[in-house]
């Protein structure tokens, strides 16, 4: 309504009676009646016609007002059937017949606002209240940018204009502002009424079992349905992500290392699988131990070749040749064990729901409940499983298997298998190259392909549905003698769209995902460990000569450190500051700078074939052939 009057250039004012609203409704004229504008007969500019509004309005509002250019008195507006806006807020159109008048504008005498408010002072109005000097049944509001008061003639407005002391607690009155009519505000009367709120009166204004009372006295119910982290809608949290993870926009935790790819199939733990994540990048954002003090050791019943993984709650999972899978608390205490009946050299992977997947040399893959070690399901692979599984975004578990000399199963082809979360086979794909070809190292998972390095020495890929992808013949491309030993113990690593791997007697190779070579770094060691990637793209690995080597992302050798024994099975684990943690068959574990300067080393009672894992607090976990799991920290 204010906009209608903001453009007015003049006002035609008459003396009239407030029909149906004032006490004098007989049609007579008094000096106290309110002046009205004939809104039906106004022009937008003064053109000398009688229906134009003059520029100057007289100050005499007693009976009639002379309009300078109107040529005389202006007749009263016809109000017989105006259909004006007459609601309590001037917004509801009502055809009131002869009982209502249109809203009109009142112009302050002297055409000046009083104290900055044109509806106060001489006009006698208080903005937005049902009162004036002569009639408390008229509501007034100011028109922004003008000297007009917009008067609402609305008899219905009387019902919503509370008068404290009239004995009626009407709308707009509460016990807070009118005890006379509404009574004293009493907490405990079962009615939540102002000024009561959930802070001032929990008994009347409580928020229920699940609601929270906020600082402003309003109730809020947290909503964490399907969310594991982030805001609960009430200023609280649905949970926090573990080390090495961030909370994404969907309220789910994901690994904060960009080279890890899609990690939604893994638990948001600090080290949920060997190599950390599906690309097996081997680098975390957590800074590992800088002092290397032994915190504790946990004894299994046999040599430990398996690599530890660390769950979100700090539990460490590791296999042993004692034929058990061990769950160990962060303080080094036994949580539970699972008997498999054969050596456990596989390393576990932890699914998004916490399920632990691990293989055994008895030819079985286990899905284990993380709380009590009960078996959710088992899958009979029929051949020894020594690889570490990888879990895809949809929960598919990928793993391969192979016969080994120390496990009396005979030679047979080792397929790649994909199992659903329910343990049912999704596909089985066999490696080309003969019956004895299988997989020692774990496969890496990219956006479109599964990357494997079987004992044939060729890089072999598969689609996520199990169809053959591309292959890369590492031996023939280098004209290697086909009689050379070539059974890699390494996993493939995916590094920002490149495939990195090492193979015995050849060297380290980096190719694109369409099999175009990026670089080759020669190394005549018989075998290599799996590779990890430093933050600047440099690669670090160990070899059978006992060397730990760093080569830059372009394939140029940079640094070398010589341990006292082969470094083949133990893959590097890289901390958030690029410190490298790696074990050796010289019965030691090393912490090395990116330039391979020793930060610390610790003797261990046996050879280290196990790859280290880094916990949420930087603790370094590693197994040994002396049958123990070690924890080193600060």
């Amino acid at each position: 309504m204010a906009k209608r009057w903001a453009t007015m250039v003049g006002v035609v004012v008459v003396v009239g009676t407030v029909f149906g609203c004032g006490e004098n409704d007989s049609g007579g004229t008094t000096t106290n009646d309110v002046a009205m504008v004939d809104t039906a007969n106004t022009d937008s500019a003064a053109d000398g016609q009688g229906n134009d509004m003059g520029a100057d309005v007289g100050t005499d509002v007693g009976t009639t007002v002379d309009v300078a250019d109107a040529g005389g008195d202006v007749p009263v507006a016809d109000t017989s059937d105006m259909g004006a806006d007459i609601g309590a807020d001037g917004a509801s159109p009502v055809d009131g017949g002869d009982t209502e008048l249109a809203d009109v504008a009142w112009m302050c005498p002297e055409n000046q606002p009083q104290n900055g408010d044109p509806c106060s002072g001489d006009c006698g109005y208080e903005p937005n209240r049902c009162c004036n000097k002569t009639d408390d049944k008229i509501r007034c509001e100011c028109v922004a940018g003008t000297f007009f008061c917009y008067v609402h003639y609305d008899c219905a407005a009387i019902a919503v204009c509370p008068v404290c002391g009239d004995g009626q607690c009407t709308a707009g009155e509460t016990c807070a502002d009118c005890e006379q009519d509404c009574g004293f505000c009493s907490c405990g009367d079962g009615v939540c009424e102002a000024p009561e709120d959930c802070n001032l009166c929990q008994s009347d204004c409580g928020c229920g079992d699940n609601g929270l009372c906020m600082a402003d006295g309003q109730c809020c119910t947290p909503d964490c349905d399907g969310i594991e982290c982030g805001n609960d809608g009430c200023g609280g949290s649905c949970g926090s992500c573990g080390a090495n993870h961030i909370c994404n926009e969907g309220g789910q935790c994901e690994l904060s290392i960009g080279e890890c790819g899609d990690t939604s199939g893994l638990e948001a733990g600090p080290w949920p699988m060997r190599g950390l994540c599906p690309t097996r990048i081997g680098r975390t954002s957590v800074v590992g131990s800088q002092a290397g003090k032994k915190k504790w050791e946990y004894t299994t019943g046999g040599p430990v070749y398996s690599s530890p993984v660390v769950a979100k709650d700090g539990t460490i999972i590791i296999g042993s040749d004692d034929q058990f899978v061990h769950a160990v608390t962060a303080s080094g205490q036994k949580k539970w064990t699972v008997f498999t009946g054969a050596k456990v050299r596989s390393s576990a992977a932890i699914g998004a729901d916490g399920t632990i997947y691990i293989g055994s040399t008895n030819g079985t893959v286990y899905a284990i409940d993380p709380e009590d070690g009960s078996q959710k399901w088992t899958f009979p692979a029929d051949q020894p499983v020594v690889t570490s599984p990888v879990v895809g975004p949809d929960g598919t578990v990928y793993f391969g298997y192979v016969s080994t000399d120390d496990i009396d199963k005979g030679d047979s082809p080792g397929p790649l298998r994909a199992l659903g979360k329910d343990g049912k086979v999704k596909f089985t794909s066999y490696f080309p190259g003969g019956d004895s070809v299988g997989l020692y190292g774990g496969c890496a998972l990219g956006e479109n392909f599964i990357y494997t390095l079987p004992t044939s020495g060729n890089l072999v890929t598969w689609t996520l549905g199990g169809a053959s992808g591309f292959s890369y013949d590492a031996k023939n491309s280098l004209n290697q003698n086909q009689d050379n030993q070539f059974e890699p113990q390494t996993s493939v690593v995916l590094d920002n769209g490149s495939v990195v791997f090492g193979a015995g007697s050849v060297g380290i190779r980096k190719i694109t995902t369409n099999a175009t070579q990026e670089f080759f770094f020669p190394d005549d060691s018989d075998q290599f460990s799996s590779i990890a990637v430093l933050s600047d793209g440099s690669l670090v690995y160990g070899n059978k000569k006992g060397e730990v080597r760093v080569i830059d992302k372009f394939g140029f050798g940079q640094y070398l450190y010589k341990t006292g024994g082969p470094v083949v099975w133990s893959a590097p684990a890289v901390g958030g500051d690029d410190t490298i943690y790696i074990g050796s068959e010289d019965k030691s574990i090393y912490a090395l700078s990116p330039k391979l300067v020793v930060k610390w080393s610790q003797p261990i009672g046996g050879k280290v074939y196990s790859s280290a894992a880094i916990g949420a607090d930087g603790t370094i976990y590693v197994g040994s052939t002396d049958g123990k799991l070690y924890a080193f920290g600060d």
Side-chain angles (χ1 to χ4, degrees), residues 2-3 5 34 40-41 66 84 125-126 136 141 154 214 239 373 376 378 411 415 430 440 448 461 475 581 594 621:
K3 291 182 179 178
W5 293 99
V34 181
N41 297 294
D66 292 332
Y125 293 115
E126 297 178 20
D136 64 2
E141 68 180 10
D154 183 2
M214 309 305 288
K376 292 186 172 183
T378 60
D411 288 336
Y430 287 89
Y440 279 102
N448 299 308
T461 67
K475 291 188 301 183
Y581 302 92
Y621 302 100

Side-chain angles (χ1 to χ4, degrees), residues 181-535:
D181 295 347
C182 300
F184 178 72
C185 296
S186 176
C187 182
D189 61 4
V191 179
C192 186
E193 53 192 345
E196 294 176 339
D197 58 30
C198 59
N199 284 317
L200 298 176
C201 186
Q202 184 69 30
S203 61
D204 292 351
C205 305
C207 299
D209 294 337
N210 299 319
L212 298 176
C213 185
M214 309 305 288
D216 62 359
Q218 301 300 308
C219 291
C220 181
T221 301
D223 183 9
C224 291
D225 187 25
I227 298 175
E228 62 178 337
C229 60
N231 196 298
D232 63 3
C234 297
S237 174
C238 291
S240 58
C241 297
N244 208 42
H245 289 72
I246 58 174
C247 187
N248 63 26
E249 293 181 357
Q252 304 300 315
C253 294
E254 61 182 24
L255 281 165
S256 58
I257 304 297
E259 300 95 320
C260 274
D262 192 338
T263 62
S264 57
L266 290 172
E267 185 191 56
W271 202 276
M273 61 174 286
R274 187 178 188 269
L276 180 67
C277 59
T279 60
R280 300 193 187 264
I281 201 80
R283 185 182 80 253
T284 175
S285 60
V286 176
V287 175
S289 172
Q290 301 297 298
K293 297 177 182 178
K294 187 169 73 172
K295 297 172 66 175
W296 50 258
E297 58 186 50
Y298 171 88
T299 302
T300 74
V304 176
Y305 291 84
S306 173
S307 297
V309 299
V310 187
K312 187 176 182 178
D313 66 356
T315 300
I316 304 101
I317 309 296
I318 196 166
S320 171
D321 276 11
D322 68 358
Q323 304 182 12
F324 284 91
V325 178
H326 296 259
V328 184
T329 68
S331 61
Q333 303 302 308
K334 173 183 172 180
K335 184 176 182 180
W336 49 256
T337 58
V338 174
F339 180 69
T340 69
K343 299 173 181 179
V344 182
R345 294 190 173 180
S346 170
S347 301
I350 306 177
D353 63 354
T355 300
I356 297 160
Y357 303 100
I358 194 168
S360 172
T361 56
N362 67 357
T364 303
V365 175
Y366 296 84
I368 302 172
D369 187 286
E371 296 301 319
D372 56 10
S374 59
Q375 297 176 24
K376 292 186 172 183
W377 51 259
T378 60
F379 175 78
D382 298 328
Q383 296 177 47
V385 179
V386 297
T387 63
S388 57
V390 61
V391 185
D394 63 352
T396 299
V397 182
Y398 302 91
F399 66 96
Y401 24 105
V402 66
S403 295
T404 58
D405 293 339
D406 60 338
I407 302 167
D408 207 8
K409 286 279 188 176
D411 288 336
S412 57
L416 174 73
R417 281 220 208 278
L419 304 179
K421 289 187 289 187
D422 56 2
K424 295 181 179 179
V425 176
K426 299 184 79 170
F427 70 78
T428 301
S429 299
Y430 287 89
F431 296 106
D435 289 345
S436 62
V437 175
L439 192 66
Y440 279 102
C443 51
L445 193 64
E447 184 176 356
N448 299 308
F449 290 98
I450 307 158
Y451 297 83
T452 64
L453 193 65
T455 55
S456 64
N458 297 330
L459 176 71
V460 180
T461 67
W462 314 88
T463 68
L464 301 186
S468 295
F470 68 87
S471 296
Y472 188 90
D473 189 342
K475 291 188 301 183
N476 291 338
S477 64
L478 294 172
N479 299 314
Q480 289 295 308
N481 185 330
Q482 296 298 302
D483 294 330
N484 283 354
Q485 181 182 355
F486 202 104
E487 293 187 357
Q489 314 293 331
T490 182
S491 299
V492 178
V493 174
L494 303 181
D495 175 25
N496 283 324
S498 298
V499 185
V500 182
F501 59 94
S505 302
V506 180
I508 306 300
R509 188 177 297 281
K510 184 176 183 180
I511 65 173
T512 65
T513 51
N514 62 2
T516 300
Q517 179 171 295
E518 293 186 50
F519 72 71
F520 167 71
F521 179 76
D523 189 325
D524 60 0
S525 301
D526 287 338
Q527 293 173 326
F528 306 114
S529 75
S530 295
I531 298 166
V533 183
L534 303 182
S535 61

Side-chain angles (χ1 to χ4, degrees), residues 34-35 102-106 125 138-141 149-153:
V34 181
D103 298 344
V104 300
W106 179 282
Y125 293 115
I138 300 172
R139 182 163 53 92
C140 169
E141 68 180 10
C149 297
Y150 195 66
V151 183
H152 302 270
Y153 294 86

